[in-house]
Amino acid sequence: MRSAGCGWTWTRTRCRAVDPWSIRWAGASDARALAELRYRFREEMGQASEDREAFLARATAWMAERLADDGAWRALIAEANGQPIGCGWLQLIEKVPNPGPEEELHGYITSLYVDPGWRGAGLGAALVETLVTACREAGADAIVLWPTERSRSLYERRGFAAPADLLELQVGTGRSPRGVTQTAG
């Protein structure tokens, strides 16, 4: 187990191995493969406007840094025949201490992706189940995510639903293809 400094621990041994694929917690050495899966995810959705190599360099550095420390980010990587075929990211977010009964962590699942050739084989469900289990073991109060239209039913079958007590305000203005924030106007 690895302590994350904020009172919860990650269990790195509870990963699933099912033929013909396996799931494991990723380490810093997996950053390039995870960055490539992230690019493919957004490219499939028609949302990859940044140059591929520039994105891979930027994302690989970011991911390696996050996966090298005992911080709040962790990633799962799914493999078949030694090749990455899927992933999912999890961040545990501390809540402000409170005197009530709810736990003081939230889970945030993001960037769940399965290679198109492996969809329908239960891999997405196994990734979600592993991430949810990690949240439960860490003592999270709730898990949030932003599903794509395609993935919505995957999450709903596992009990995810739109909350009645959450509000969102979009404040971002977008980024140019080079990663520079655009100004409104």
Side-chain angles (χ1 to χ4, degrees):
M1 289 198 237
R2 296 179 67 174
S3 171
C6 61
W8 43 266
T9 57
W10 291 101
T11 305
R12 292 181 97 38
T13 57
R14 295 191 187 198
C15 296
R16 183 174 168 156
V18 177
D19 288 336
W21 45 263
S22 64
I23 297 173
R24 65 178 172 80
W25 289 107
S29 64
D30 296 305
R32 175 71 182 204
L34 290 164
E36 289 182 13
L37 290 167
R38 175 72 174 160
Y39 190 86
R40 288 171 45 201
F41 171 51
R42 298 306 286 248
E43 185 177 47
E44 275 184 35
M45 294 174 28
Q47 298 174 341
S49 59
E50 186 174 356
D51 173 76
R52 184 179 192 282
E53 289 307 315
F55 172 80
L56 291 176
R58 182 170 67 85
T60 298
W62 185 93
M63 292 174 179
E65 182 179 332
R66 297 320 181 275
L67 294 173
D69 66 17
D70 274 345
W73 283 102
R74 292 293 176 266
L76 289 173
I77 189 162
E79 298 170 313
N81 303 315
Q83 298 298 310
I85 59 169
C87 63
W89 283 82
L90 172 63
Q91 183 182 36
L92 290 178
I93 305 163
E94 288 183 274
K95 292 170 57 176
V96 174
N98 67 71
E102 69 267 10
E103 293 86 349
E104 295 177 351
L105 285 175
H106 286 300
Y108 166 53
I109 295 174
T110 189
S111 197
L112 190 88
Y113 175 77
V114 174
D115 180 271
W118 289 92
R119 293 180 187 154
L123 181 53
L127 287 165
V128 172
E129 289 169 16
T130 304
L131 294 167
V132 168
T133 297
C135 289
R136 283 191 177 116
E137 290 176 350
D141 183 51
I143 303 168
V144 296
L145 54 80
W146 282 262
T148 63
E149 194 57 41
R150 178 182 176 96
S151 68
R152 182 173 294 279
S153 65
L154 169 70
Y155 295 113
E156 288 173 341
R157 287 190 307 269
R158 275 142 196 87
F160 285 81
D165 61 349
L166 180 70
L167 299 175
E168 176 185 46
L169 173 63
Q170 292 283 318
V171 297
T173 58
R175 290 184 312 110
S176 72
R178 292 193 176 120
V180 177
T181 301
Q182 300 175 0
T183 58

